[in-house]
C-alpha cells in the first residue's frame, strides 16, 4: 500500500479535497456467512424487483403483439390509416 500512497494522496487532495483516499486502519468485522439473514432478505428483494421488471416488460410486449396481430388481421385498415396519417389526417 505504501507503494501507491503518494498517488492516492494526490488524487484525494485534487478530486476530493481530503488528505487520504483510503483508511489505513480498516478491519473487516465479519466474513461472509451463508446463514446471514440479511443476505436472504436482500436476495428476496432482488428477485422480487427483477420479477416485477420482467412482468412489466412482458405486458409491454403483449400490447405490441396484439397491435401487430390486429394489423395483420386488418391489412386494409392499416394501409388506410397510414395513408390518412401521411396526408396529415385530412380526408
Amino acid at each position: 500500500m505504501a507503494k501507491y500512497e503518494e498517488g492516492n494522496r494526490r488524487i484525494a487532495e485534487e478530486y476530493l479535497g481530503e488528505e487520504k483516499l483510503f483508511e489505513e486502519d480498516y478491519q473487516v468485522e465479519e466474513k461472509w456467512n451463508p446463514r446471514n439473514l440479511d443476505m436472504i432478505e436482500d436476495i428476496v428483494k432482488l428477485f422480487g424487483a427483477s420479477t416485477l421488471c420482467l412482468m412489466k416488460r412482458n405486458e409491454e410486449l403483449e400490447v405490441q403483439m396484439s397491435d401487430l396481430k390486429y394489423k395483420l388481421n386488418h391489412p386494409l385498415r392499416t394501409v388506410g390509416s397510414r395513408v390518412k396519417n401521411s396526408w396529415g389526417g385530412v380526408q
Side-chain angles (χ1 to χ4, degrees):
M1 194 73 167
K3 180 180 177 181
Y4 305 105
E5 188 173 341
E6 177 61 28
N8 288 342
R9 186 190 58 76
R10 272 189 276 130
I11 290 172
E13 286 178 358
E14 189 173 329
Y15 294 103
L16 303 176
E18 298 181 8
E19 292 182 22
K20 293 185 178 184
L21 188 60
F22 300 105
E23 291 187 31
E24 295 174 7
D25 59 343
Y26 176 75
Q27 296 291 325
V28 176
E29 294 178 11
E30 180 183 351
K31 292 186 177 181
W32 179 76
N33 180 359
R35 292 187 175 95
N36 185 349
L37 295 178
D38 293 333
M39 185 181 70
I40 293 172
E41 183 179 333
D42 291 343
I43 289 174
V44 169
K45 288 179 183 179
L46 173 73
F47 281 112
S50 300
T51 302
L52 290 175
C53 288
L54 289 172
M55 289 174 64
K56 181 180 177 185
R57 180 65 178 146
N58 190 30
E59 288 175 4
E60 291 170 358
L61 291 173
E62 285 178 352
V63 168
Q64 288 179 1
M65 281 180 40
S66 66
D67 185 45
L68 290 173
K69 285 179 183 178
Y70 176 81
K71 289 179 180 180
L72 283 173
N73 289 333
H74 305 286
L76 294 177
R77 287 185 184 173
T78 303
V79 171
S81 67
R82 286 187 179 213
V83 169
K84 180 180 173 183
N85 290 338
S86 69
W87 288 343
V90 178
Q91 292 183 359

